[in-house]
Amino acid sequence: MKNLNKSIVILLVSLSLTGCKSNLLDTLPSNEVSSESIWENANLATLAVTGVYNQLRANYTTNSASYPTWDLRSSLMDFDANWIGNLPQLRGTATPESADFLNYWKQLYEPIHRANDVIANIGRVPDMPDNKKSQYLAEVKFLRAYFYFKLNALWKGVPIYTEPVEASEANKPRSSEEDVWKLIISDLSDAIEESNLPDKYETGSSDFGRISKGAVFAFRGQVYLWTKEYQKAIDDFEKVKTLGYSLHPQYRALFKEATERNDEVILSIQFIEEAGSGNSFSWAFGNRGSAGAGWNNYIPNINFVDSYEQANGKAFNWDDFLPGYSSMTPRQRSVFFFRDNMTNAEIQTLTSYGADMTKYLPIGNEARIKAAYANRDPRMNMNIITPYSTYLGGLTGKDITYTLRWPYRGSDNAEPYDLRTDTNSKFYYLIRKFVFEGREHIYQSYSPIDLPIIRYAGVLLSLAEAYNEVGNTAESVKNVNLVRSRVGAQLLNSNSYTNIVNQNDLRERIRNEKYWELPFEEHMYFEELRWGTWKDKKFKAGNGLTEIWGTSTYTYSWIGEHNWIWPIPSSEIEMNRDLNQNPGWIN
Amino acid sequence: MKLTVMLFLLSLMQLRAEVFAQRLTLHVENKSLKDVMKEINQKTGYDFFYKNSLLKNTTPISISVENTNLKSILDVILSNQSIDYKIDDSTVILLPREKNHEEQTRTISGVVLNPAGEPIAGATIRTVGKSEIQTQSDAEGKFQFTIDSDVKELLITSIGFKENRYTIGSSNNLKIQLTVAINDLDEIVVVGFGTQKKVNLTGAVSSINFEKEAESRPITSISNVLAGLAPGLQAMQGSGMPNSDNSTLRIRGTGTLNTSTPLVLVDGMEQSFNDINPADVESISVLKDAASASIYGNRAANGVILITTKKGKNGRMDLSYRSLYSVNTPSNLIELVDNSAAYMELMNESSTNVGQAYIFNEETINKWREAEKDPNGLSETGYPNYVAYPNTDWYKEVFQQKLMNDQTLTARGATDKVNYSLSGTYLNNPGLIDGAGMKKYYLRSNLSFSINDWLTVGNRTYGYQSDVGRNSTSTALSDLGFTKVVPSIYPFYDGKYGAPEPKEEDPQSHNTLWDIQSTGGSYTYSQINTSMFADINLFKDLVYHANFDWTRYWQEDLYFDKSLGKYSFSQDQMIIAPMSSQELSSAFYTMGNKRWRVEQTLNYRKSFDIHDIGVLLGHEEMRKTQYNIDAQKTGLIDQSITDLSTATEMKSITGTNTEFASRSFFGRLNYGYNSKYLLEVNLRYDGSSRFSPETRWGWFPSVSAGWRISQESFLKDVELINELKIRGSWGKLGNNSIGNYDWQNTYSKAGYAFGNNVANGLAMTSIANRNLMWESTAISNIGFDALLFDSRLNAIIDLYNKTTDGILFRPNIYATMGNKTAPFQNIAEVSNKGVEVALSWNDIAGDFRYNIGTNFSYNLNRVSKYKGLLERGWIEDSNGQSVYTSNIGDVSTGGTNRILEGHTINEFYMLDVYKGSGNYFNADGSVNINGGPKDGMIRTPGDMEWISKMIEEGYTFYPNQQLSKTNIWYGDYIYKDINGDGVYGNSGDNDFQMLSPEPKYNFGLQAGMSWKNFDFSMNWAASMGFGIYWYRVGQNSSATVFGYAIPKSIAEDHYFYDPENPSDPRTNLNSMNPRLTRNGGSSQSEAVSTLHLENGDFLKLKNVTIGYKIPNSITQKAKIRDIRIFFSGENLLNFNNFKGMDPEMRTGVGYVTTRQYAFGLNVNF
């Protein structure tokens, strides 16, 4: 200590404190890429293209009541009563302030800006070959058209942005509906002209899921149906038929991970079994017996299920199977759905409920109702879990065969293995499509099953529709029958039930065919809007969430003709007063 | 324990012994004294310290000695010179020789006593005269020192006592008795990078004697104790959850639109209140104005709270122990319907009210009614009726009374060379919920060593570990756990968790206990912080201070699912199967940060006659890196084996890293003239990595001045006035509380898949603004301090104007931009103007001492600039049509809480409930738009007739629009049409409510007294002038949801009317609560409106403490210095009209705050 020299101590202390970096304040994020560097290398630019595709998933990665599936808005299904408040357009309480409209406005514009970013900048990426640039440009234009299509279908004329825009300048007025259709057609036509866009991706391709020419033709054809240019639509759909697509022999296999990449799928939203990269369908559509435990918030509408024909093509009618059914009150006829061998307590409860117990068969009640669900269009039981049908669950860690019975006697892992739901106090149909069977997958929050948004069968039906509209019944029927024959449904014009009467009859049959073939694949709300049938179907008197025998849990309410077109979100009008509101909506 | 400390101290003292053993050989011939000293210095390392003038008349030296000690040599070589010397450590100080030492000095010894005759340790005894010598009294109050014999007077000072001028007589053994000071003019206040005498403060600083609070109060977070203690400091506790029960603090209102939390510095290091052991805190200073805070420039805009930890006190060796046990109870719980039959009937009512089928069968309801009559009878399944047909009150079931325990052991002491303070605390806060408590362990060591007279080095090290029960998952406790619950579930019986018993019930309704128990694992939070510092006396008045500190923090969460099923006791079977082990997840999450910081200052203080000068120059920089890793796997071999490596399937691994750095230079100048006129100037230059290189540096100056009027000759002799001062200050402070990378445009991950393989993707998910810069807060402050009536009355008044401009905020962007995060902009300006008053009265009458103090603050908050004023009204458009326009979307941001120029931050903006005259129709029979129901509820057929007529006439009532059971019906509210567009309750009808969630008034009152061995104190706090919007299904709503709770307040009082059966016994036309409506039926009364905007004003008795000191006559026998036993109650009384749990939480529900009854003792050995 004696040698302690003051100046040395000071020097040492201050040296040790100031030996710090001169660039101390320059920090860079390690999980993000700065905007300066993204267009400087091909790898990053490619990632930006993928970033546009990313938005195809936007609706589906969480089971969020803010983004219910599109099909829920159609007459295909209904929402569990607890959550119906989230759908003001169906409840009759919609105003431009309803969060629904703002959520989708934002969600659909997001990918458009991502696409614009790629379109404006991909040209300047130094190390990307030109053929890749052209291919990506075509893909991204398709995607931009895809999202503008949704905006235009819902709002009928929206502001058009085709270039990157500053946040402060996103305040254009609306373009007309026609101009938006024009932009969509022009983007799709550009993609069709692009020679670097392949016609089709082989099912084993590592690029499966990218936009192919098949997808562009099919989608442009669909857009022409909206603009009622039927011959153009026919040309595009016929073009698709030349590109190597075909129907997969097994309908159910289309919705299984192992077989989801096949020649019928023209474009599907790609999901894989990884957190954030799968969909939540099994969670939202599934039941409590499903692996991971589904919530069955989404319930098939009884009118839709009843619309499935008998196997011979005859329209289904309850009275054919249960005489007097339609003249009984819903509570009375609930008796037909009861299980065999009910306990006295159950009988007592259901008697006080109002069931007509004189019709109850302690043995045979189940067999009687099962007959009504046998011998129907095969797709019904492939898409829907009907009473007393079985479902292979996986909740308890092993495969268990459950049966949908009523009244429920419950346990997940003990006899009688009744299928448990979140709506046990009511008896509803359940969804089978997209729902896990057994232990095939176990993560309800990321199902790997792809959602086919353009499927060859759908193209054939749209083609049939276009042919029917131009009066070509023969071609139309031929295409419908391609789809029907795959599942073994009675072919059109093959017996008295399936004989086509006239253009209207065929139109109705094609529309029904789409419901039966494509349910829960996110098409039908848009189709109902296009056909103008949404109001009649969805808001039909008494329609709503309904138990199988017809007791209503709630019904929908139509607020007026303005309900057809979505309102511009009021908060956006408050910011951009150049946006005109759609007629009938009051800000 | 005592022995260990002693041994430790002794070992430190060994360091000094070698100094005196120095021997050397010296041969010189006729050399100057200067050269000889140089040679000695080279041989021994001893420095010589002298004034050059002293060597003027020295004579040359010759000496030849072998191996002789230094002292003898110095005696020889200086014997002929008129120079004397003294050795201090390794420095030889040369002094002019004046007199013969031995004859001119005397040794004085004595004892310093308090008025009760007990010894005072650590009192300073200083000689009065030209050469100042001082010493301090030891633990027995004794002192001894040698002074010049011509010293006639001693000055004795000790904190808490009046200074005493003692005239020395002939006796060398003194007995000095001090009298208690009521208010101490010499009180030292901790300020930025130093201390200041309170009387010399020119800024607005409130100091809190925290040690006194910590002595007896059951403290789980320091922040909770601060409520009501200082004017301008608002503390509101939002939750009672262990480890998350910090209060939100605001100093002088909310100054900005982003983080408004004050900077908390513990001994100069940035920390949060959770990091610090309340037992270690000595004092807390609240720096409120720019002048006092601007030395911390970049982070000080929201005010600064300086916490100083305890050091040893001179002359004392303390070993003390505090033990506290506290009974914790919920302060106030929401009451839910806990009778299942009643619940089911209410659910049926709410279903049929909206035209839906009833849910529960008559038969089921009757079953519960029957079982209720004989709760202990056996049900069909053999379980008791109360289990098989339960009536559960979930809040009472889950929130339970618990015993908290807090043990602290402290050793502190100081000698002239060593100062130490060691402490350890164990806090077991079980909270109010089983398995969701916290155990926290703190350790601290504060040490400093005076190596020699110019060098002091030290180390402060502390750390803690908190083990928090994993069960306190927020979804269980604040989300579905108390909303999606029904009374017909039995929580836990016979080793089984209950399921909903009625068949009709939602099988997914929650069992809160199951929610809590179905996950296992733990949260561990640990931190270690250590700092090394050195103080070097460069010259007499110039001190160089250097400090390096390093902090490491870890949060480690272990999580695993437990496989628990749910059982129906009435059906005697497992209803919901336990999860299979294949599905069980195990996860490990760790978040950590590493931070280093250096600080160095040069501090110069000097007094020339009547001029006091202080200069401070400093440099500070820090870097903080933070990371997290989250790994999750599923598929456990068995539910008891939860380690990640034993789980079978990879689920996810994520991780991130961020960095933040800052560098600053600062300076301060103090000048005092004659202790009368005071001036202080601060300047700070700050750089932050959160801004681009072009904009990252900012200047933050401040200036303040004070005038101690009481020092003026015209007031000096006024007895009444002990101190009177006017202060004024102005300054600017900075704020960079935005994300670490917000100025950089970035693309973040947005992946997809092709061909069933992951495809990485990127997308611009946020928009950046490269031009971001510091937001700056300018504060002007005028203050008055007065100490009157023999220092008994202390008054402090402050007026301030605080304006923050260039506020970093994300204004809304067009929704058309998509889902992108809006860019930050330096956009808004917020002003807070206010007044703070603190008054206190202290007095002593014999053994009786009392004090009462109150403080009050008023703060007026305004967004003074944003995007322009609100303009709304009817204009004529180009077609000559009258249209209503509003620029609310352009000029304002937010929803229910809005930012708008000229309004309070987050002012409530919502619909007003309709208020009409009840006349319905005009004289001509037409409908009177102002004639609707008086309180806005459709109650009577008359009301119904009026509204249907209105709708016929084209008026619309939002949101439900149509008259029907499912839309607008009897028992629903309608809303005011403020813009007159004929639509009642659309977006244009929202209005500002002149109320925000921030209180305008805060109030505190402290009173205390002591008499002989008893002491008593209490603390009240109040906040007023704020609102709480609270509306939550299952807690206070008339809207019900299947499977969700129904609140008792609504169950017992809600509107009911059935026009088809007006004599229904449930009919209640007068309730203010709307009809019950099952969600999905009607939402008319659920619109965000003033219906659910409540006044939050409250007055709370925060604490009462009663203590008793066991007489020394008893304790001395046990060789204990003193023992005090105490009772302390927290949150004892709460006066308010709020219907939720606690207005302080500013929401109705959550983890309820606690009421505590604590008992404990303090022992000083």
Side-chain angles (χ1 to χ4, degrees), chain A residues 6 10 21 26 33 35 47 54 91 97 110 113 117 208 410-411 422 439 443 446 553 572 575 577 587, chain B residues 356 508 537-538 573-574 583 634 651 663 696 745 747 751 755 762 815-816 819 890 960 986-987 1081:
Chain A
K6 202 185 264 188
I10 296 166
K21 320 207 284 184
D26 296 322
V33 181
S35 52
L47 298 185
N54 163 267
R91 281 270 303 110
E97 281 184 273
E110 175 64 32
H113 294 293
D117 196 15
F208 192 91
S411 184
D422 268 353
R439 304 285 295 166
Y443 304 118
Y446 39 92
T553 304
E572 190 67 352
M575 284 190 78
R577 278 175 284 165
N587 291 325
Chain B
Q356 293 188 9
Q508 296 311 320
N537 251 312
L538 296 178
Q573 63 177 342
M574 190 66 88
E583 244 124 305
T634 50
K651 206 167 176 188
R663 175 173 284 169
R696 68 169 51 131
N745 240 343
Y747 282 66
L762 287 170
T816 310
N819 282 319
D890 294 339
N960 282 5
N986 60 344
S987 65

Side-chain angles (χ1 to χ4, degrees), chain A residues 21 23-29, chain B residues 263 270 298-299 593-597 621-627 657-664 686-691 696 735-741 743 774:
Chain A
K21 320 207 284 184
N23 62 346
L24 175 77
L25 302 182
D26 296 322
T27 58
L28 280 172
Chain B
L263 174 69
E270 188 172 350
N298 59 356
R299 295 158 299 162
N593 60 54
K594 302 169 263 190
R595 183 179 58 183
W596 60 255
R597 173 181 155 272
E621 60 188 58
M622 71 78 114
R623 186 180 187 91
K624 181 177 178 180
T625 52
Q626 183 159 321
Y627 65 91
N657 278 286
T658 59
E659 256 181 334
F660 170 47
S662 70
R663 175 173 284 169
S664 319
D686 267 311
S688 163
S689 67
R690 287 177 174 167
F691 302 112
R696 68 169 51 131
N735 190 351
N736 65 351
S737 48
I738 52 171
N740 288 336
Y741 307 110
W743 64 272
W774 293 95

Side-chain angles (χ1 to χ4, degrees), chain B residues 958-1019:
Chain B
Y958 267 22
N960 282 5
Q961 303 170 39
Q962 300 165 55
L963 291 186
S964 75
K965 276 186 169 185
T966 53
N967 289 302
I968 304 173
W969 201 237
Y970 289 99
D972 282 337
Y973 277 95
I974 54 171
Y975 307 99
K976 206 183 261 180
D977 176 21
I978 67 157
N979 64 357
D981 62 355
V983 182
Y984 288 74
N986 60 344
S987 65
D989 295 328
N990 285 303
D991 206 3
F992 287 88
Q993 301 296 336
M994 315 291 281
L995 211 55
S996 86
E998 286 300 328
K1000 294 189 188 97
Y1001 309 93
N1002 285 292
F1003 167 83
L1005 183 144
Q1006 291 77 38
M1009 61 185 89
S1010 63
W1011 178 70
K1012 290 195 170 157
N1013 288 349
F1014 290 96
D1015 61 84
F1016 166 84
S1017 68
M1018 64 175 177
N1019 178 24

